[in-house]
Amino acid sequence: MKKAILVIVFLIIVCISGYSQVQYSRKIESGYLKFLATTVRVDPGPTWKGYNLDKKQNGLDINLVNGIKFNDKLFLGLGLGYLNFEGIHGFSLFSDFEYLPLKTKLTPLLNLKIGYNHIWNQYENGKGSASVELATGFAYKLKENLITYLQFGFLMTQQSLLIPIRIGVKF
């Protein structure tokens, strides 16, 4: 019983001290998704209607992310996005991990997004796919809780490799 009380007290102290370093934050971002290559090769069968992005479409997306910031360096969030691949519409759900290594006004950033997206393409009911994006870029602190950023990297989704170029605001 004493061990349980000590563990509970310890967790309360950690939560109280950790709360002072944790802050709620949001991001809104938009990106251009440049098609680079198809990542799979298919031996077509009679029901095959083409690759998920059959005309090697470039895309646009808009994302809203809600999360928490730790010590102004680490951001962990959950996001929802709208996708448009030259007329093929879709949505994405993802987790967002962002790291700012410096606390200066201008700092490099590293970003990782892991999630799922669904597009309504030539297949009945569309196609869903896992997505992984690894990006780097620069963040500029305009005010204490207002940061703008530009990032680029690699995105693998929908049997394709894309290059995302994003601009966003974190507040």
Side-chain angles (χ1 to χ4, degrees):
M1 183 66 169
K2 288 182 183 180
K3 287 182 183 180
I5 292 172
L6 286 175
V7 169
I8 292 171
V9 170
F10 175 75
L11 290 175
I12 290 171
I13 291 170
V14 168
C15 289
I16 290 171
S17 65
Y19 180 73
S20 64
Q21 299 172 6
V22 175
Q23 183 179 10
Y24 175 73
S25 186
R26 295 161 302 280
K27 293 189 339 183
I28 184 166
E29 60 186 17
S30 181
Y32 175 72
L33 310 173
K34 173 72 175 148
F35 184 91
L36 190 61
T38 301
T39 58
V40 297
R41 298 288 175 230
V42 175
D43 187 16
T47 61
W48 192 63
K49 296 180 183 177
Y51 293 103
N52 292 351
L53 296 174
D54 63 340
K55 296 180 182 136
K56 301 180 179 179
Q57 294 96 328
N58 297 320
L60 297 172
D61 70 355
I62 298 173
N63 298 322
L64 299 171
V65 184
N66 286 302
I68 52 176
K69 249 185 345 183
F70 299 93
N71 292 332
D72 293 330
K73 285 189 168 194
L74 182 64
F75 174 82
L76 305 172
L78 295 174
L80 175 65
Y82 166 76
L83 301 167
N84 186 335
F85 289 98
E86 296 178 10
I88 297 175
H89 303 280
F91 71 91
S92 61
L93 298 168
F94 56 89
S95 58
D96 190 342
F97 307 95
E98 181 181 88
Y99 179 66
L100 305 172
L102 306 173
K103 287 190 175 185
T104 57
K105 219 168 173 54
L106 179 65
T107 181
L109 71 83
L110 296 171
N111 186 268
L112 174 65
K113 289 182 175 68
I114 301 172
Y116 171 83
N117 62 42
H118 189 93
I119 58 174
W120 286 275
N121 56 5
Q122 69 272 22
Y123 288 93
E124 185 178 340
N125 298 322
K127 284 288 187 176
S129 171
S131 65
V132 176
E133 178 180 330
L134 182 60
T136 187
F138 295 96
Y140 184 75
K141 186 184 281 189
L142 297 169
K143 293 182 180 180
E144 182 63 31
N145 289 321
L146 184 61
I147 297 172
T148 185
Y149 58 89
L150 175 66
Q151 66 185 32
F152 51 91
F154 293 101
L155 168 63
M156 290 185 60
T157 189
Q158 297 294 341
Q159 305 172 330
S160 302
L161 177 62
L162 301 124
I163 298 176
I165 302 168
R166 298 189 188 285
I167 187 166
V169 177
K170 182 166 53 172
F171 49 96

